[in-house]
Each structure stands twice: as structure tokens, then as C-alpha cells.
Amino acid sequence: MIKHIVLLTWQEGVSQAQIDAVTSAFQELGKEIPEVLNYSFGQDAGIYRGNANYALIAEFRNEADLKAYVVHPSHQALLSTVTGPILKSFQSIQIKV
Amino acid sequence: MIKHIVLLTWQEGVSQAQIDAVTSAFQELGKEIPEVLNYSFGQDAGIYRGNANYALIAEFRNEADLKAYVVHPSHQALLSTVTGPILKSFQSIQIKV
């Protein structure tokens, strides 16, 4: 299995409503793309300082399913319209487990 | 439940043997600290460019268990002696799921 992990850092001044819109969009996307086996996401819990602001973990059977997700039009639309406009930086990784 | 996620980027010139030593150390640590419910870790699969080099996901029942893990002497020893010497940068987050 492949775990696809993304940590997101928002621009200054992003509102809770904008973050909630990210969460809603991921909830919909996880239901829409059948290749996603498990989908976990959420904002930083506020326990430690210096953290990223938001994380997403998506699990896939294999590399082909991961790539189908990445290029899926609904995923690309989310990146363009929901996370993209409020994003300062992000870091990704895929690990085989 | 809390997911604790860390993405690590290594210094230039880190060897596969050093990365394998990280994996071995995390395998032992996951067995040693009872607060860890699930522990997933591994190096980047090499599918996309620009990624972090290594990821760890640890799951805990609650914030108290997370904090017990963070300050555990064996965890601190791993940071000092295994990951610390080869680390360029890292980014963390905790999300409630």
C-alpha cells in the first residue's frame, strides 16, 4: 500500500471558514474518487508550535491508483479553487507500507 | 485519536545504510513505547520529485499519550543519535481524527 502525505501551510490571514471549506472539499473528494482507500485530513491540533497548518493522508493500493487520484479532475479543481488560493507552501511524500 | 505526522529531509550525502538505521530504530521504538497505537514510517517512494525524504505517522489515543511519547527517553535518544546527525529539516503536525 502507498500512503500519500501532504502538509500544508496557509498564507497569513486565512480564516476558519476557509479552512472549514478545505475540510468539506476533502470530505467530498474522498467519497468521489474510488481509488482512495482511506482518507484522513484536518488542521493542526494546536499542541505544539512551529507546525504545519493542515495535513492530509491518503492511502492507495498501488502507484497506479495514486496517480489516478493526483490527475483526477476533481482533485485538480480542489487544488486550483480551494487550497491553492490560500496556500503559502506545502510538502509531500509517498511511502510504501 | 491523534495522528502525529513528521516529514524529514536529510542532509546531502546521507547513505542508504543511514536511512536503514532510521527505519530499524523506529521499528524498535514502536515496540518499546506502549502509548503508540499505530506506527508507520518509511522513505520516499521516488514517484514524484521535490518530496521530503522520510515520513513517520504515529497514532495515539489522546494528547497525554502523544506527550508521553515525545518526551520518552528512547524517543529523545533516537532524535539525538539516529535522525539528528543526518537531518537537514523537518516539519510536523498533529491532527485529531
Side-chain angles (χ1 to χ4, degrees):
Chain A
M1 194 175 67
I2 292 180
K3 286 185 193 267
H4 168 63
I5 307 162
V6 188
L7 301 193
L8 307 161
T9 300
W10 308 132
Q11 297 166 17
E12 292 289 319
V14 167
S15 70
Q16 188 60 48
Q18 288 174 299
I19 298 168
D20 292 345
V22 170
T23 296
S24 296
F26 281 136
Q27 285 169 341
E28 291 305 310
L29 193 66
K31 292 177 203 161
E32 186 181 342
I33 303 184
E35 285 84 358
V36 176
L37 292 182
N38 290 294
Y39 213 39
S40 297
F41 43 83
Q43 61 184 313
D44 180 54
I47 301 167
Y48 296 109
R49 291 180 182 222
N51 275 359
N53 298 132
Y54 203 97
L56 176 134
I57 305 169
E59 297 180 354
F60 301 94
R61 274 188 196 81
N62 52 44
E63 187 173 327
D65 282 4
L66 162 71
K67 289 183 170 176
Y69 163 82
V70 169
V71 302
H72 191 290
S74 297
H75 177 243
Q76 290 294 323
L78 186 156
L79 298 184
S80 298
T81 63
V82 184
T83 56
I86 63 173
L87 194 64
K88 180 182 176 189
S89 64
F90 72 96
Q91 195 167 36
S92 304
I93 190 169
Q94 295 81 38
I95 59 173
K96 292 181 178 173
V97 293
Chain B
M1 193 175 70
I2 292 181
K3 285 184 193 267
H4 167 62
I5 307 162
V6 187
L7 301 193
L8 307 161
T9 300
W10 307 130
Q11 297 166 15
E12 292 288 320
V14 167
S15 69
Q16 187 60 47
Q18 288 173 299
I19 299 169
D20 292 344
V22 171
T23 296
S24 296
F26 281 137
Q27 284 169 341
E28 291 306 310
L29 193 66
K31 292 178 203 162
E32 185 181 344
I33 304 184
E35 286 84 358
V36 175
L37 293 181
N38 290 295
Y39 213 38
S40 296
F41 43 83
Q43 62 184 314
D44 180 56
I47 301 167
Y48 296 110
R49 292 181 182 220
N51 275 0
N53 298 133
Y54 203 97
L56 176 134
I57 305 169
E59 296 180 354
F60 302 94
R61 275 187 195 81
N62 52 43
E63 187 172 327
D65 282 4
L66 162 70
K67 288 182 170 175
Y69 163 82
V70 168
V71 301
H72 192 289
S74 297
H75 178 242
Q76 291 294 322
L78 185 155
L79 299 184
S80 298
T81 63
V82 184
T83 56
I86 62 172
L87 194 65
K88 179 182 176 188
S89 64
F90 71 97
Q91 194 167 37
S92 303
I93 189 169
Q94 296 80 38
I95 60 173
K96 293 182 178 172
V97 293

